[in-house]
Amino acid sequence: MDLCLRPWLIAICSSLCLSTAAIAADLSTTAINDRIKPIGNVHIEGATPPAAAVTTSSRTGQAVYDRYCGSCHNSGLMGAPKKGDADDWAVRVSQGDAVLAKHAIEGFNTMPAKGTCMDCSDEEIVAAINYMIKPN
């Protein structure tokens, strides 16, 4: 009798495991679309990006600095002007705000474009610059 029950017990346990997984998974159309959506988008230069691609958040200059800029600008790594050091920033500031912003946004010398904050808006980058050039 023990041999006759074994296949039944295995079948019951297997079906319970599979049915529990199906019940636990959200099978709604919205949930499925969220799970299979692309993780990125490609935008052609000059084309208008879709509304979802436009950054709507506005981080403070300090928040951008702390997350992306501080690793180089705290220590002056590879010639980066140190935060709040007037001597380090003097030549750069004398070139004007437009040049300072252009270099930060497009990259300059060893600094990568936007300091690697590719989802930062130009305004957020300028806010980070203004935070860095303020004396400590």
Side-chain angles (χ1 to χ4, degrees), residues 56-117:
T56 57
S57 70
S58 182
R59 293 168 277 206
T60 65
Q62 181 177 358
V64 173
Y65 174 82
D66 290 343
R67 174 90 168 106
Y68 298 98
C69 311
S71 57
C72 294
H73 289 278
N74 279 335
S75 64
L77 183 67
M78 297 177 65
K82 292 186 281 299
K83 179 194 170 307
D85 188 326
D87 293 336
D88 281 1
W89 286 97
V91 173
R92 292 164 177 88
V93 170
S94 70
Q95 294 175 340
D97 292 344
V99 172
L100 202 55
K102 181 178 190 272
H103 288 171
I105 293 165
E106 296 176 3
F108 187 73
N109 292 332
T110 57
M111 180 181 161
K114 293 189 174 187
T116 71
C117 181

Side-chain angles (χ1 to χ4, degrees), residues 21-41:
I23 291 168
D26 186 355
L27 299 177
S28 68
T29 303
T30 304
I32 292 170
N33 287 338
D34 283 344
R35 287 193 297 269
I36 65 171
K37 69 181 177 187
I39 59 170
N41 295 307

Side-chain angles (χ1 to χ4, degrees), residues 1-46:
M1 178 140 172
D2 201 22
L3 293 173
C4 292
L5 290 176
R6 190 172 185 177
W8 283 102
L9 289 174
I10 291 172
I12 290 169
C13 288
S14 298
S15 64
L16 283 174
C17 289
L18 293 173
S19 65
T20 304
I23 291 168
D26 186 355
L27 299 177
S28 68
T29 303
T30 304
I32 292 170
N33 287 338
D34 283 344
R35 287 193 297 269
I36 65 171
K37 69 181 177 187
I39 59 170
N41 295 307
V42 174
H43 299 288
I44 298 172
E45 186 175 347

